[in-house]
Amino acid sequence: MQTFVAVLMWLLVASLLILRRGRAERSITYAAITIAVAMTINVDAVYRFIDALLGGSNVATLIGDCALMVGIFFLGRGIMKAGEYQPGPVRIALVNIRLSERHGYRG
């Protein structure tokens, strides 16, 4: 199951890299990459290899958890940026509502 989750995350990364190629805001892509790294480190074979390579106990857990925290940070940042974005018709509607409230219109 761990491998399945890691593969799905890497498929998400690939799709984001393809579909969001020209976008200036990349927080969601960074989030997907770091979370995919964390999920990959969580696979038992990868975890054991990294721990043996670094000569420690639970070093891979520390690296994976740090990657997950960074990924969640970027995900939150991307969500905040998405909340700031409003298409033209929505902005026009909100401006009209604000202006009517300012002038006392309650209709």
Side-chain angles (χ1 to χ4, degrees):
M1 186 56 119
Q2 298 164 337
T3 305
F4 179 70
V5 172
V7 168
L8 284 179
M9 283 304 300
W10 285 111
L11 287 173
L12 173 65
V13 168
S15 68
L16 286 172
L17 290 173
I18 293 168
L19 297 175
R20 299 179 57 88
R21 222 179 353 219
R23 305 269 175 123
E25 175 56 39
R26 298 211 166 119
S27 293
I28 298 295
T29 305
Y30 297 152
I33 291 169
T34 54
I35 292 171
V37 166
M39 295 299 109
T40 302
I41 291 172
N42 198 32
V43 175
D44 289 337
V46 176
Y47 171 84
R48 286 189 201 108
F49 175 76
I50 291 174
D51 257 0
L53 184 70
L54 298 176
S57 170
N58 293 327
V59 176
T61 300
L62 178 63
I63 294 169
D65 289 349
C66 288
L68 188 59
M69 287 190 308
V70 170
I72 291 172
F73 164 77
F74 279 118
L75 182 62
R77 184 174 168 196
I79 291 169
M80 291 295 290
K81 296 273 184 173
E84 292 172 3
Y85 172 73
Q86 295 174 346
V90 172
R91 277 184 284 164
I92 291 170
L94 291 177
V95 167
N96 288 338
I97 291 170
R98 288 182 193 139
L99 287 175
S100 64
E101 287 175 354
R102 187 177 294 164
H103 295 291
Y105 180 72
R106 304 237 186 250

